[in-house]
Amino acid sequence: MPYASPVPYASPVPYASPVPHASPLPPVSPLPQPSHHTPTSTRVDADGSRSRPWLAAVAVLLALILGVGGGALWHFTRDDGGGTDDPTAGISDGATESVAPADGGSDPEASGPGPDERPVTAADADGDGLDDVFIVDNLADRTLLLTGDASAASGFGSLQEWSQSSYGSAKVVRGDFDGDGWADLAAVERDRVEVARSLGNGFGEAERWASPGLPETFKVTAGDFDGDGRDDLAYAVQAGNDVRLDVALSDGSGFGPAREWATAVGWLLANMKPAAGDFDGDGRADYIEQGQPSQRSDLDVDFRLFRSEGDGFAPHTGAFLRSDWAWEDTHPMVGDFDGDGDADVVVRREVGGDIQLVILVNEGGDLVVDAARGIGLEVADVDSVGAVAADVNGDGVTDIVTLDRSTGEVKLLVYGAGQAGTAAFTLADDSSEMLLIGVTR
């Protein structure tokens, strides 16, 4: 369906803003135990008095020494599965509950490896430097993590159950919402947003982060729009004859009120497929959308870029136009596909019953087709294949992961050589209701 008020590509719409051989995957692995350590509380002597002052001074000195040396040691030797042999740590019951720390409580001083400075939202949930694949299994009501492994032929490590919830009807997106370097999940509904934080070995209990009061129809996209190291949420909503882009900024433990960052006059929300990434290298995520700009035919696709200014989006600019692509059969994914530190776009196109992946390289805000690195996939059923962007092998270049729900086959498509990898995993369980989680819903 075309925009309500078509606008020529060269003239931006008026803007108003206040501002390789399949191998079976082993059974789902038990969760590794957390590597967090609970801070030692202040010691009290047998007579009820606190420790002597000189002992306190020594303790402070030792803490400072260990704080520096221990931190460096953790950086080079951290084992995501280390820290305890407690066999009782696992997944708790309840629709919004998941893994808890092995000591039964939270560790206020525990943190991940630090904010992710790449131009796209975080996908590394266990802090090993490799992106992971988030899979919601609606059939078994659980959330799985397929870990990255650069040493494996397929590029994948183990499949782990990270939550005993699939978050119901919520729109689930990934991002580092608390800024600790571990990718979390945000489950977004009209009247509530809950975040399940990564603990490094599972997703914690889902916490209420906002009560946005969204309309019945909306689209949500995660990205660090203000550049503070924490991913935020952008909502696209229909406002009369216009589309309004509202952003709710994260403060690390909640999302602030959604504020209008841009309005696209005469647009239809139904004709927008959004995504986010840092396209200009300024450390802030920009908003990009695939639209259908005219009524002359359904063979018309364009991309428009809303650059972030930290507290609002600048007037959108045209980044790409293709008049021979079908909008309905074209879907964007954002990543750093050429490894230059700026966001690019890969377009998934459904052509003749198969899938074609076209990389659009970012050249100063313009998207240019890289014909030499496209990938064609022959599939039995296009509708059963999902795809998501992730740097699973950790080489600094984003790749594409596909899941064929009809066969349970997961493939890593590596762009470095301009062709798809041949190794694959096959999920052992029924994958018919499994969904790959990206940055937009």
Side-chain angles (χ1 to χ4, degrees), residues 164-401:
Q164 288 183 325
S165 175
S166 59
Y167 307 103
S169 61
K171 297 184 177 183
V172 183
V173 295
R174 72 168 195 245
D176 181 12
F177 302 109
D178 56 6
D180 66 355
W182 289 337
D184 315 303
L185 292 179
V188 183
E189 298 181 85
R190 293 178 58 189
D191 59 349
R192 63 191 293 141
V193 178
E194 293 186 337
V195 170
R197 305 192 203 204
S198 170
L199 304 176
N201 70 329
F203 293 119
E205 179 180 353
E207 308 164 359
R208 175 77 74 94
W209 272 40
S211 302
L214 293 165
E216 183 175 354
T217 302
F218 67 92
K219 296 182 180 180
V220 58
T221 303
D224 183 8
F225 298 108
D226 60 353
D228 67 351
R230 297 183 291 260
D231 284 325
D232 315 301
L233 296 179
Y235 305 116
V237 299
Q238 192 75 49
N241 294 325
D242 309 324
V243 170
R244 196 179 67 238
L245 302 181
D246 297 340
V247 173
L249 299 177
S250 169
D251 64 8
S253 59
F255 294 112
R259 301 189 183 281
E260 182 181 339
W261 274 37
T263 295
V265 178
W267 285 23
L268 291 178
L269 180 63
N271 286 358
M272 293 178 61
K273 297 177 182 178
D278 183 5
F279 285 83
D280 53 11
D282 64 357
R284 297 187 295 258
D286 308 302
Y287 192 93
I288 193 166
E289 67 86 34
Q290 173 193 316
Q292 186 177 358
S294 80
Q295 297 181 357
R296 63 178 180 266
S297 76
D298 63 345
L299 296 178
D300 208 355
V301 169
D302 79 344
F303 283 89
R304 287 195 168 269
L305 181 63
F306 296 75
R307 298 179 189 269
S308 172
E309 296 182 330
D311 57 0
F313 293 122
H316 58 82
T317 57
F320 183 80
L321 173 66
R322 194 69 181 248
S323 59
D324 59 344
W325 286 4
W327 184 89
E328 282 287 347
D329 299 332
T330 305
H331 310 277
M333 291 173 281
V334 171
D336 184 6
F337 297 103
D338 56 3
D340 67 352
D342 294 336
D344 311 294
V345 175
V346 158
V347 173
R348 166 192 157 145
R349 299 188 59 230
E350 300 168 9
V351 181
D354 293 321
I355 293 176
Q356 181 185 65
L357 298 175
V358 181
I359 183 169
L360 305 180
V361 178
N362 175 15
E363 295 186 359
D366 293 327
L367 299 177
V368 179
V369 173
D370 184 351
R373 298 170 69 194
I375 291 179
L377 300 175
E378 294 184 1
V379 296
D381 180 7
V382 169
D383 293 334
S384 70
V385 178
V388 69
D391 179 16
V392 175
N393 58 11
D395 63 357
V397 178
T398 306
D399 306 304
I400 297 294
V401 176

Side-chain angles (χ1 to χ4, degrees), residues 40 125 161-163 208:
T40 304
E161 183 174 300
W162 270 45
S163 171
R208 175 77 74 94

